[in-house]
Amino acid sequence: MKLYCLSGHPTLPCNVLKFKSTTIMLDCGLDTTSVLHFLPLPLVHSPRLSKLPGWISKDGAVSLEKRELLDLSTIDVILISNYHCMMALPYITEHTGFTGTVYATEPTLQIGRLLMEELVNFMERVPKAQSATCWKNKEIQRLLPGPVKEAVEVWTWRRCYSMQEVNSALSKVQLVGYSQKVELFGAVQVTPLSSGYSLGSSNWIIQSHYEKVSYVSGSSLLTTHPQPMDQSSLKNSDVLILTGLTQIPTANPDGMLGEFCSNLAMTIRAGGNVLVPCYSSGVIYDLLECLYQFIDSANLGSTPFYFISPVANSSLEFSQIFAEWLCQNKQSKVYLPEPPFPHAELIQTNKLKHYPGIHGDFSNEFRQPCVVFTGHPSLRFGDVVHFMELWGKSSLNTVIFTEPDFSYLDALAPYQPLAMKCVYCPIDTRLNFHQVAKLLKEVQPLHVVCPEQYTQPPPTQSHRSDLMLELQPPPMPYRRCSVLGLPFRRRYERIQLLPELAKSLVPSEIKPGISVATVSAVLHTKDNKHVLQPPPKPAPVPPSKKRKRVVEEPPELVTPKPLLSGAVPLEPFLALLHKHGITEVKVEDTPDGHILHLQAEDTLIQLEEDGTHIVCDSNEPLRATLRDLVLRFLQKL
Amino acid sequence: MMDPDCAELLPLVCEVLANPDRALPDDTCLEKLLDWFAALTNKAPGLSLLELNPCLVSFISSVCTSKSAEPSVLAFALKLAGLLASNERAFPLLKEEGIMKNAFEYQGWMESSVWEDATVRSGWIHGLQNVLKHWQAMQFVLENGLLKAILRLQSDRSLFVASATNQLLACILTFPTSPAGHLSVKEARTTERKNERNACCGHDSPERNEGAAQIVEHVEESLTSRVPFRAHQSLKLIALSLTGCQPHVREVLWQKTVEAKEMLMGNGQSSLVQPFLEVLRAAARTHLFTEGNFGVVTLMDDVLCSLKPMLAVPFATGIIHLDNCPQTLKNKATAIILRPLDHVAALVLSQKTCSGVVRESDFEHSVWEEQLSQKSSCISLLCLSLSGTSELLGLESLREDICVQPVVLSVTTLLKICEGGPFFTSSSSSVSRAVRNLIGCSRVQKCVLDTMAALSHCPGSDVYAEDILSVLLLVLQNPDTDQNVFKKALQTALNWLCSGSQSRSVNSFLNKDVFPMLKKRLCDVRWEVRDSSLEFLTHLTLQLQEDLSYCETLSSSGIWDFLMALLNDPESYVRASAICALGQMAYVTCPVKGPPSGSSVQEELFVHFVEILAQDTEGFARRAVIKVFSYWLRHPPLQPLEKMEKHLGTVFQLGSDDLDWEVKVHTLELAQIVIDEILETSSQTSCPYSIIPSARCKGRDLTESLRKLHHLMIFNTLFSGLLDCDRPVAQQACRILLDLKEVIIDHTDIVDKTVVFDLQGCKWGQDILKKHFEKHSITTAIQVCVDIEELLQSLDLEGRQRALEKSSDHMENSPRSLMQDILAAAHTVEENIVDCY
């Protein structure tokens, strides 16, 4: 059993597990931090941005996971744990020879599709003067200025995929529900479990009959909108692969949510606008719910909230229709019937308005001061670029970062100098180290595999020894390009007995509760399933004496010799010998048992725990008698 | 004296109680009855209670002889007998009647099966304790061999009995040698008197000495008995009696304790350590401590070093409070208290003990280290140490002994650790373990903040203000800070901000760090945080209102708008706090964006507050409004309040019609302020230059004042308050009216009868009218207009005040009602039984 680690990013994992002749890819996250090396893509040409020194205006690009480690066409299935971890899917399934299946839950597929569409839309709608790739050549890159020169592995940077590729990739997705068991080639069974992080987010169990591997990726124990995490099914794992812990272990989501609200209220009260760069699904639902409660208490009822994204409408509506994937208290609302999320009410009362983009309706209704939620959190593309340009000059305005994926200082760099206030309230509801320690104590896996980042305190806070995994035995760390041999050996395989064969068995009890029988059968193996079938009947004696070919003959059935079990007790045995006229017996104790010396017969009987030997030269009748006497004490199978 | 009603009921009650077939309403009625008797015996002289109520004697006698009553009644009878016999004159009578023997003779009880009930044993002990008020009673106990029985009960299986027995034994040991407890020097010199007294109080009598010896012997046996409970009880007894007993007994008791020390202390694991420490503490309050030859100080010194840290720190905290404590011991105690703090700071800062007072050789280093590396003990120990440090800093005598700087360093470090802040150290495992225990621990944070607050009062601590405030700011800015910790941090910050003398640095700190933080906190999601921030602002403004630069900083901070927004907060506490904060701020500042000149900030606010008073649905906000008005009137602002007077009538109207009684009380307080002010001005302005103000002039002014009060609806408020069903409101109104009455009656000849009420026209009029007519026995309502003087005179204000002074449940709580309840309960049960058949 081997694990190939294609991504070193702890929250955007991409691992491949080889287990019992199957090759399973676990997630394919897309690390888009490389876009921070590029200039923002404004809808209209911005002379300021294009003249920034040290930056080059280029097409958006993303960093792909290491591909040389493994031939992607050999991958049988891809298991997706949440919509953030599937953004690289088109790069894996398209133009690589991939022929397998992708498994994901319905909300993951739908919202993942929205996020991909949004990404493609953001990239494609901006007119680009030119497209170049020569600069990726190491020799040329060296000559380039600024941060690009230092960027590593630029050859792995790729152009953004197209809508066609997205559609093709997503057509390979097979939908699954929580706790649904999916057989893969009869060899293993995979099951998604609720992970509590986002709509439809799942952890996966990959098990054979005797081995269990759990894959935990992006889980949350907080009570937010999704169904709560299923912890108990993770119990008794041989290996637990742990990824997707919180990226900001020092920031408690509740505190950050409070901080978000108070900064927002403070800005609005002072007459400024608030910009929230965010993804169009996920934490935004919780932000809106929190604001729904906060708006009235903070007297913000008259302030407009705008949500701008090409997929804003779908995102808000999708969230309302996946009732079965929501937490209990939201599910129960559906029966009232009420929309599960309160943002429906915000929309109804006109407090929240959503638009596909900044042109059109939005420009007519735009009112300030206001709060705008829009993407992309990297501030490199999407409508957020426009608002940064618009509001950056006034110190009354505030930009509040809630997504932890990007360094907010790097994201802001091309907008400097900036008068606008910047607040960093990263909200990451995924497990923190304290929760993980508790979880692992509960589910007791034999071995834990995790990114190496989790085995030491964060580099910026080396004194925080509470921000790392401390386990016994210590977790197995992986890094990008690692190939780990998982530390357990497969010892058993399940074999089925056909009923007629089972009927023919004659078990005999050798210990209370344990019965044994001998089996003679033919082992039949197909599709990783093993079946014992009754041996074929011996062919009737052919009428002709024509010689047949040996190969055609059914295997000769030899009745196996009976198997013996039990022990020979010394005293009764001596009594029995005596009864049979053997009186002169000298008993000698040995470490393993006894040696009986039949002096008159000049014979030795060695009684040992796992064998009995009769040493009797040339007196076959006596040996046979003795043998029969010994056999009287033993059971035959 | 018992009132006749009660005297009549008492025999019936005694009969019910003595009858085992009658049921009691509940146990508490007997306790209440006993309380009443205790009060009576304290008040009534000598015999009278017994003589006037012979039923008591027969009750006790019958109950104690038959021993068939309920255990609770038996216990009651015993305690009552004790109470009655505690009177020196009643005692011989009871003894003669055989009551004492009946009630307290041990043999009789031992043979009875009711003795098995702990209630009875406890009643017996308490009864004896009640008696032991005079020498005759003592003699009774000693002569009848009761001491032996008492000593046996000291290790009774019921903890209540055992503990009561200890109290009784302590009572015997500390029985005063003179009636007054101790003789004054002057008295003692007159030998004649002394002998006389000795005769009557048994000073140095052989019985007494023998009794004491018997107890001491018992104690010695218990201490060496190896039965932990017995030793425990005896140690408690020693601790109880050591300070009060006679010197020679004290010395012997001490001797015995010291002899058993090894066994008591064990290796620090014994359960007897705690009571042993109690004895040490008690010894430290006696002459044993100051006289060197008893070795108390040495023993304490030894114990201090060998105790486990969790016991050592509280023990050391006790030591620092001792008077006459030798400096060396005090130093050691101080060192023990500071040690955990030192330890953590030293771990993190990689420095050797910072306070420098701790000598390493004195302690078992490993034990302390171990305790600090475990989570629960680490937190408890640090909290103990921190609260001990706060106490240390509170003691003026000790402040000089502590070097403030290392303490400041320790507490700031500790707070930084709790915040998860960085520090400079090699990451050894013990450090990281200790640190991990503390990150985000709000218990430690609260204790640290208390200690920091205590530090602010230390002389010379000003220099650390900047360090402390910067750490506090970390706590205040952290969004994860618990709301209680946040509140405490603000309070601590307030201490430091107001104790500092360098207003310039304080102001820049406020401007640069505190106000931006507060603005955010005023928008916090948690109402507690918003509330604490507002309270902080209110107090800060109150403290620094004289500081002009502060007022400027506040005005330009823009915080005013945030406070105005909070007047509409959904949480009523927050609205109330916002009102208080604005009330305070309006008093010292004018916001930059204030309303256009013409009407002052205060006036604008006044109007706004009156609206709140009329409209807010919660009492807190309305109470706050009235309180702010009171504050404004009591501390007149720069601008005259005349413009507000036009609204005052509305305020009184709204305030007296409010549904919340506290609002009404505050309104009455406000009325008092206005009355005082108006009457005072009238007396001042009458004629400033003449020595004796002319009567006419004064009369005119008084009439004018009364008219003004009438115009402001103050009389309306007072009269409706007087008739209010809430007692505090009526009391307050009555008090004010009485004062007014005095003023008016004093000048009855000069007051124009122009302040007239149309009684039918106002809400309270009908009731007042009724009272008024009752007084004047007028049957028809011809006269409905009454002037103020007449009205005040016709109302029996004095009578009303007396009635109001009694609590509303005085009838229910009276002994008469209690006895009626007992009787009623007994009868009801009987009827029920009859019904059943």
Side-chain angles (χ1 to χ4, degrees):
Chain A
M1 183 180 289
K2 277 195 170 165
L3 188 72
Y4 296 76
C5 309
L6 304 187
S7 159
H9 197 302
T11 35
L12 295 168
C14 185
N15 296 316
V16 173
L17 178 72
K18 286 205 172 188
F19 178 33
K20 272 191 81 175
S21 73
T22 54
T23 306
I24 304 171
M25 178 178 267
L26 304 168
D27 282 334
C28 46
L30 187 64
D31 183 354
T32 50
T33 46
S34 56
V35 299
L36 294 176
H37 293 292
F38 293 79
L39 274 181
L41 294 174
L43 268 180
V44 278
H45 180 70
S46 158
R48 191 190 72 82
L49 284 178
S50 56
K51 278 184 197 141
L52 279 178
W55 294 80
I56 50 161
S57 181
K58 268 285 143 279
D59 196 352
V62 289
S63 169
L64 249 199
E65 62 296 317
K66 184 90 175 166
R67 292 172 58 174
E68 291 77 26
L69 208 57
L70 182 104
D71 181 1
L72 293 180
S73 67
T74 62
I75 288 169
D76 297 316
V77 291
I78 303 178
L79 306 181
I80 304 293
S81 51
N82 61 61
Y83 44 77
H84 288 300
C85 290
M86 65 184 285
M87 296 297 280
L89 201 58
Y91 292 118
I92 311 274
T93 61
E94 305 310 301
H95 321 299
T96 56
F98 174 81
T99 52
T101 316
V102 182
Y103 288 99
T105 61
E106 194 181 355
T108 303
L109 169 68
Q110 300 300 357
I111 297 176
R113 179 193 297 276
L114 290 183
L115 292 180
M116 287 181 184
E117 266 177 35
E118 190 189 42
L119 186 68
V120 174
N121 192 313
F122 281 157
M123 290 293 178
E124 288 182 351
R125 74 184 186 189
V126 187
K128 284 171 281 286
Q130 70 265 19
S131 164
T133 49
C134 287
W135 59 274
K136 288 186 186 174
N137 186 316
K138 254 187 192 164
E139 295 307 309
I140 300 175
Q141 192 201 350
R142 237 187 0 204
L143 305 173
L144 293 176
V148 174
K149 192 165 79 174
E150 284 98 47
V152 283
E153 300 187 348
V154 285
W155 68 90
T156 65
W157 294 7
R158 300 269 302 270
R159 280 183 68 103
C160 181
Y161 39 70
S162 68
M163 207 53 226
Q164 197 186 356
E165 285 165 321
V166 170
N167 287 331
S168 167
L170 294 182
S171 69
K172 299 183 173 82
V173 176
Q174 175 105 38
L175 295 183
V176 283
Y178 286 149
S179 305
Q180 183 185 333
K181 294 185 167 72
V182 180
E183 285 271 312
L184 301 183
F185 318 113
V188 293
Q189 206 180 44
V190 294
T191 316
L193 303 171
S194 172
S195 74
Y197 167 56
S198 59
L199 271 177
S201 68
S202 25
N203 293 323
W204 291 86
I205 291 179
I206 302 139
Q207 59 187 342
S208 65
H209 293 300
Y210 295 100
E211 295 91 15
K212 179 171 174 180
V213 178
S214 301
Y215 174 58
V216 173
S217 164
S219 302
S220 173
L221 291 172
L222 299 178
T223 324
T224 55
H225 57 274
Q227 233 184 64
M229 180 181 176
D230 179 353
Q231 299 179 57
S232 57
S233 307
L234 298 173
K235 277 185 188 164
N236 305 320
S237 309
D238 296 289
V239 174
L240 189 141
I241 304 168
L242 180 69
T243 64
L245 302 186
T246 175
Q247 298 191 69
I248 315 287
T250 47
N252 164 26
D254 281 336
M256 283 301 147
L257 210 53
E259 196 73 354
F260 171 79
C261 288
S262 38
N263 278 301
L264 187 142
M266 190 167 73
T267 308
I268 298 288
R269 271 190 203 157
N273 299 294
V274 177
L275 179 62
V276 187
C278 63
Y279 292 116
S280 51
S281 180
V283 175
I284 187 168
Y285 303 139
D286 297 313
L287 287 180
L288 289 175
E289 180 154 6
C290 180
L291 284 173
Y292 170 77
Q293 291 159 358
F294 184 67
I295 282 175
D296 291 327
S297 74
N299 296 313
L300 299 175
S302 56
T303 312
F305 288 71
Y306 301 115
F307 176 21
I308 302 168
S309 155
V311 296
N313 186 32
S314 326
S315 166
L316 292 175
E317 303 218 322
F318 267 136
S319 65
Q320 306 282 18
I321 60 166
F322 291 123
E324 60 187 292
W325 306 89
L326 293 173
C327 60
Q328 193 56 45
N329 117 41
K330 288 216 179 328
Q331 275 191 33
S332 55
K333 282 194 171 174
V334 180
Y335 301 103
L336 288 176
E338 259 177 38
F341 284 95
H343 55 238
E345 200 186 317
L346 288 177
I347 295 170
Q348 252 169 26
T349 53
N350 260 338
K351 284 176 183 158
L352 173 67
K353 293 177 187 170
H354 53 87
Y355 301 93
I358 47 173
H359 36 257
D361 290 347
F362 173 69
S363 43
N364 296 334
E365 294 189 34
F366 181 50
R367 225 165 13 94
Q368 302 193 64
C370 64
V371 182
V372 169
F373 297 88
T374 188
H376 186 269
S378 64
L379 305 191
R380 289 301 177 270
F381 46 86
D383 296 306
V384 74
V385 176
H386 172 78
F387 285 100
M388 284 303 296
E389 291 281 288
L390 182 69
W391 287 343
K393 293 166 212 85
S394 164
S395 63
L396 283 177
N397 302 327
T398 307
V399 53
I400 309 181
F401 292 87
T402 56
E403 302 288 352
D405 288 355
F406 299 91
S407 148
Y408 77 104
L409 289 174
D410 288 346
L412 286 171
Y415 300 96
Q416 299 294 0
L418 200 65
M420 189 178 197
K421 283 198 285 288
C422 304
V423 181
Y424 185 53
C425 301
I427 297 172
D428 194 334
T429 56
R430 285 172 280 206
L431 297 175
N432 62 31
F433 287 95
H434 181 68
Q435 291 165 329
V436 166
K438 246 169 120 179
L439 174 76
L440 292 180
K441 216 172 183 182
E442 186 91 350
V443 303
Q444 299 272 356
L446 289 182
H447 300 281
V448 173
V449 179
C450 68
E452 66 175 350
Q453 287 93 327
Y454 296 163
T455 57
Q456 60 225 15
T460 49
Q461 281 162 310
S462 55
H463 64 288
R464 292 291 295 263
S465 60
D466 56 327
L467 303 183
M468 59 183 273
L469 278 182
E470 269 192 312
L471 298 172
Q472 254 342 302
M476 297 179 67
Y478 72 76
R479 59 170 73 177
R480 187 159 181 236
C481 302
S482 304
V483 179
L484 300 182
L486 296 185
F488 72 88
R489 205 163 274 146
R490 294 182 43 222
R491 293 174 61 197
Y492 298 105
E493 190 64 270
R494 179 174 287 192
I495 297 177
Q496 265 192 324
L497 282 177
L498 283 187
E500 50 267 45
L501 180 66
K503 230 184 270 171
S504 70
L505 296 185
V506 190
S508 52
E509 196 171 51
I510 52 160
K511 264 187 208 168
I514 296 179
S515 298
V516 177
T518 53
V519 185
S520 303
V522 174
L523 178 67
H524 186 262
T525 298
K526 187 183 172 192
D527 282 351
N528 292 310
K529 288 215 161 81
H530 313 287
V531 181
L532 279 180
Q533 293 176 340
K537 298 253 163 47
V541 183
S544 67
K545 298 223 164 180
K546 223 196 235 173
R547 251 180 119 184
K548 278 203 162 181
R549 278 174 33 212
V550 182
V551 279
E552 280 179 5
E553 264 176 32
E556 201 180 329
L557 284 177
V558 188
T559 328
K561 281 187 181 171
L563 301 171
L564 300 175
S565 70
V568 183
L570 185 61
E571 288 306 320
F573 185 55
L574 288 177
L576 195 66
L577 287 177
H578 194 83
K579 216 166 137 193
H580 283 77
I582 302 168
T583 48
E584 274 182 72
V585 183
K586 208 176 133 198
V587 181
E588 190 187 321
D589 288 347
T590 65
D592 301 324
H594 312 279
I595 296 177
L596 277 57
H597 190 197
L598 316 185
Q599 285 171 323
E601 291 80 10
D602 192 21
T603 296
L604 286 177
I605 306 177
Q606 288 176 313
L607 296 176
E608 281 164 7
E609 204 180 343
D610 51 358
T612 303
H613 296 274
I614 299 168
V615 186
C616 168
D617 286 338
S618 65
N619 190 347
E620 185 55 22
L622 176 68
R623 193 195 68 81
T625 320
L626 289 175
R627 182 197 67 195
D628 292 341
L629 294 181
V630 167
L631 285 178
R632 281 197 201 179
F633 291 99
L634 299 178
Q635 280 180 305
K636 285 185 200 107
L637 285 174
Chain B
M1 277 310 292
M2 196 184 291
D3 68 59
D5 285 349
C6 293
E8 211 168 283
L9 288 172
L10 191 56
L12 298 174
V13 170
C14 286
E15 196 188 313
V16 166
L17 292 181
N19 187 344
D21 301 329
R22 297 285 183 92
L24 290 172
D26 61 273
D27 287 356
T28 54
C29 70
L30 294 178
E31 289 300 320
K32 286 180 197 160
L33 218 49
L34 266 180
D35 287 345
W36 177 51
F37 279 117
L40 279 177
T41 44
N42 281 341
K43 265 194 263 169
L47 275 173
S48 62
L49 190 62
L50 271 181
E51 282 168 347
L52 293 173
N53 302 293
C55 60
L56 288 177
V57 175
S58 54
F59 163 70
I60 296 169
S61 161
S62 78
V63 168
C64 292
T65 323
S66 76
K67 296 191 171 56
S68 58
E70 285 270 309
S72 58
V73 176
L74 277 170
F76 168 74
L78 287 167
K79 289 178 200 168
L80 178 61
L83 266 181
L84 296 171
S86 67
N87 188 295
E88 229 169 330
R89 283 172 59 203
F91 184 82
L93 182 80
L94 287 168
K95 206 173 164 188
E96 245 167 62
E97 300 249 0
I99 299 281
M100 289 310 286
K101 215 168 167 110
N102 245 338
F104 294 109
E105 206 190 21
Y106 182 61
Q107 209 54 40
W109 287 107
M110 269 298 283
E111 287 158 8
S112 161
S113 61
V114 287
W115 192 247
E116 284 301 299
D117 198 305
T119 324
V120 178
R121 297 201 297 278
S122 152
W124 189 76
I125 292 284
H126 278 120
L128 278 175
Q129 203 178 340
N130 287 345
V131 188
L132 277 182
K133 296 284 187 301
H134 47 83
W135 173 240
Q136 294 178 66
M138 186 58 141
Q139 243 170 345
F140 172 79
V141 171
L142 296 174
E143 279 168 7
N144 288 288
L146 298 185
L147 198 53
K148 221 176 203 169
I150 297 170
L151 287 173
R152 202 170 302 153
L153 287 179
Q154 196 204 19
S155 43
D156 195 89
R157 61 178 182 279
S158 155
L159 279 180
F160 291 105
V161 176
S163 142
T165 312
N166 253 348
Q167 295 284 350
L168 176 62
L169 284 170
C171 210
I172 296 173
L173 280 178
T174 58
F175 192 78
T177 47
S178 76
H182 45 79
L183 297 167
S184 68
V185 185
K186 203 176 168 190
E187 262 183 313
R189 277 193 191 139
T190 44
T191 38
E192 204 179 332
R193 270 191 164 190
K194 194 177 170 187
N195 290 340
E196 195 181 297
R197 187 154 282 122
N198 282 349
C200 82
C201 65
H203 182 59
D204 283 342
S205 78
E207 295 107 310
R208 194 189 159 110
N209 286 341
E210 201 185 306
Q214 213 174 330
I215 297 176
V216 170
E217 195 184 325
H218 175 83
V219 165
E220 189 184 2
E221 254 173 50
S222 312
L223 288 181
T224 50
S225 69
R226 295 192 182 274
V227 183
F229 181 63
R230 283 188 62 190
H232 190 271
Q233 282 293 90
S234 289
L235 281 173
K236 271 180 141 180
L237 173 61
I238 298 172
L240 277 172
S241 47
L242 213 52
T243 41
C245 65
Q246 288 171 300
H248 66 275
V249 179
R250 182 182 301 147
E251 281 157 25
V252 178
L253 283 177
W254 175 246
Q255 197 73 40
K256 301 295 170 204
T257 319
V258 174
E259 280 164 16
K261 180 208 148 194
E262 288 304 321
M263 212 184 77
L264 297 174
M265 283 293 287
N267 46 1
Q269 301 294 330
S270 157
S271 63
L272 297 173
V273 173
Q274 195 68 47
F276 179 69
L277 296 181
E278 294 284 328
V279 173
L280 282 183
R281 277 189 206 112
R285 290 195 298 271
T286 64
H287 76 279
L288 301 171
F289 188 58
T290 40
E291 284 171 34
N293 47 347
F294 293 103
V296 182
V297 175
T298 333
L299 188 54
M300 282 181 131
D301 200 296
D302 288 350
V303 166
L304 205 50
C305 293
S306 58
L307 276 179
K308 280 164 109 187
M310 292 293 277
L311 289 171
V313 175
F315 187 58
T317 312
I319 290 177
I320 56 162
H321 286 288
L322 291 176
D323 299 330
N324 310 322
C325 180
Q327 196 57 39
T328 46
L329 186 60
K330 240 176 216 186
N331 282 349
K332 191 163 257 180
T334 309
I336 293 258
I337 293 170
L338 295 176
R339 193 179 155 78
L341 284 185
D342 270 1
H343 187 86
V344 171
L347 269 184
V348 173
L349 302 167
S350 334
Q351 284 173 13
K352 276 283 161 201
T353 51
C354 347
S355 66
V357 268
V358 188
R359 278 205 314 278
E360 287 302 310
S361 56
D362 287 348
F363 303 99
E364 276 187 58
H365 199 71
S366 59
V367 182
W368 288 75
E369 193 125 282
E370 190 200 319
Q371 294 262 309
L372 283 167
S373 66
Q374 287 165 5
K375 180 159 187 168
S376 60
S377 59
C378 168
I379 290 173
S380 314
L381 193 56
L382 278 173
C383 289
L384 280 174
S385 166
L386 284 164
S387 61
T389 310
S390 304
E391 283 185 43
L392 263 176
L393 295 169
L395 290 173
E396 236 161 82
S397 57
L398 280 174
R399 261 189 218 151
E400 305 121 41
D401 301 343
I402 317 166
C403 185
V404 174
Q405 194 235 339
V407 179
V408 171
L409 191 61
S410 297
V411 291
T412 45
T413 312
L414 204 51
L415 200 55
K416 275 187 207 156
I417 296 176
C418 292
E419 288 295 303
F423 45 81
F424 318 100
T425 180
S426 57
S427 56
S428 80
S429 70
S430 65
V431 176
S432 66
R433 249 201 320 275
V435 164
R436 200 180 317 165
N437 295 336
L438 296 172
I439 291 176
C441 173
S442 56
R443 219 177 117 200
V444 173
Q445 279 173 319
K446 282 185 222 165
C447 290
V448 172
L449 290 169
D450 279 336
T451 312
M452 275 190 176
L455 272 171
S456 71
H457 303 304
C458 285
S461 63
D462 299 13
V463 282
Y464 308 110
E466 219 169 300
D467 297 343
I468 298 258
L469 287 172
S470 65
V471 186
L472 284 175
L473 195 67
L474 280 182
V475 179
L476 295 169
Q477 283 172 334
N478 185 346
D480 287 332
T481 298
D482 173 87
Q483 53 252 35
N484 296 322
V485 174
F486 179 79
K487 183 171 184 158
K488 226 169 209 179
L490 279 180
Q491 287 166 346
T492 309
L494 188 70
N495 269 318
W496 279 92
L497 286 171
C498 300
S499 69
S501 51
Q502 338 75 327
S503 71
R504 179 184 286 264
S505 65
V506 164
N507 273 316
S508 88
F509 176 68
L510 285 173
N511 201 19
K512 211 165 83 276
D513 299 313
V514 177
F515 286 140
M517 178 275 297
L518 274 182
K519 274 195 228 169
K520 190 159 75 184
R521 290 311 196 173
L522 289 172
C523 301
D524 203 278
V525 184
R526 296 163 292 177
W527 70 263
E528 295 93 334
V529 172
R530 301 199 294 273
D531 196 49
S532 319
S533 310
L534 286 166
E535 277 175 11
F536 169 76
L537 259 180
T538 313
H539 287 123
L540 189 69
T541 310
L542 181 67
Q543 296 281 335
L544 300 179
Q545 58 188 356
E546 309 289 321
D547 187 340
L548 273 179
S549 59
Y550 169 76
C551 298
E552 275 165 28
T553 313
L554 186 64
S555 303
S556 59
S557 67
I559 233 163
W560 180 271
D561 296 334
F562 284 80
L563 297 193
M564 288 303 280
L566 285 174
L567 288 179
N568 297 318
D569 198 275
E571 191 60 50
S572 64
Y573 297 113
V574 178
R575 292 200 298 274
S577 300
I579 290 165
C580 294
L582 279 169
Q584 197 63 50
M585 272 172 69
Y587 188 64
V588 297
T589 172
C590 287
V592 182
K593 288 195 298 178
S597 57
S599 59
S600 71
V601 182
Q602 217 165 7
E603 254 180 85
E604 289 273 311
L605 261 190
F606 197 99
V607 177
H608 200 125
F609 284 177
V610 173
E611 274 167 32
I612 292 174
L613 185 63
Q615 285 161 9
D616 204 302
T617 50
E618 300 268 350
F620 299 107
R622 303 197 303 267
R623 286 175 211 165
V625 166
I626 303 276
K627 275 197 265 184
V628 166
F629 289 164
S630 299
Y631 184 82
W632 282 356
L633 284 178
R634 219 179 282 136
H635 304 86
L638 305 170
Q639 290 122 335
L641 248 187
E642 263 125 34
K643 285 181 186 164
M644 294 172 199
E645 272 184 16
K646 61 182 174 206
H647 301 294
L648 265 182
T650 327
V651 171
F652 284 116
Q653 185 75 52
L654 289 168
S656 61
D657 288 347
D658 205 285
L659 292 173
D660 186 279
W661 70 266
E662 281 191 53
V663 173
K664 292 186 203 166
V665 169
H666 292 316
T667 310
L668 287 167
E669 279 164 10
L670 182 67
Q672 176 83 67
I673 296 166
V674 175
I675 292 169
D676 287 350
E677 196 178 315
I678 288 177
L679 290 184
E680 199 182 336
T681 23
S682 80
S683 64
Q684 269 173 8
T685 55
S686 59
C687 193
Y689 305 112
S690 68
I691 298 163
I692 306 155
S694 75
R696 236 191 108 211
C697 184
K698 192 163 185 175
R700 199 179 59 223
D701 287 336
L702 187 59
T703 311
E704 194 52 43
S705 303
L706 290 178
R707 264 199 216 127
K708 203 168 173 183
L709 292 180
H710 184 47
H711 174 69
L712 288 174
M713 311 289 284
I714 284 183
F715 288 117
N716 199 32
T717 308
L718 291 176
F719 286 123
S720 70
L722 185 67
L723 299 172
D724 201 276
C725 48
D726 282 310
R727 199 162 64 102
V729 181
Q731 259 180 317
Q732 178 84 349
C734 193
R735 209 174 300 137
I736 299 173
L737 279 171
L738 274 167
D739 290 347
L740 259 182
K741 185 178 168 186
E742 206 175 307
V743 175
I744 294 172
I745 304 292
D746 276 355
H747 304 98
T748 181
D749 47 331
I750 51 165
V751 177
D752 282 349
K753 306 207 173 203
T754 44
V755 179
V756 175
F757 300 93
D758 174 6
L759 289 182
Q760 294 220 312
C762 39
K763 274 188 226 160
W764 43 270
Q766 292 298 329
D767 293 312
I768 295 279
L769 207 55
K770 231 161 82 190
K771 286 188 199 292
H772 179 66
F773 291 145
E774 273 165 21
K775 177 97 176 185
H776 293 277
S777 37
I778 303 169
T779 43
T780 47
I782 313 159
Q783 190 194 9
V784 289
C785 288
V786 193
D787 75 278
I788 178 72
E789 187 201 337
E790 201 180 337
L791 196 55
L792 286 176
Q793 278 186 339
S794 66
L795 293 170
D796 179 17
L797 288 174
E798 291 80 3
R800 180 102 180 107
Q801 193 178 34
R802 275 194 301 279
L804 286 169
E805 262 161 18
K806 290 183 187 161
S807 67
S808 54
D809 59 351
H810 71 275
M811 281 304 285
E812 287 76 18
N813 277 346
S814 70
R816 202 180 91 192
S817 138
L818 178 64
M819 287 195 283
Q820 278 168 341
D821 283 349
I822 295 175
L823 291 174
H827 287 298
T828 335
V829 170
E830 199 170 50
E831 274 163 24
N832 287 345
I833 292 167
V834 173
D835 281 348
C836 289
Y837 289 101

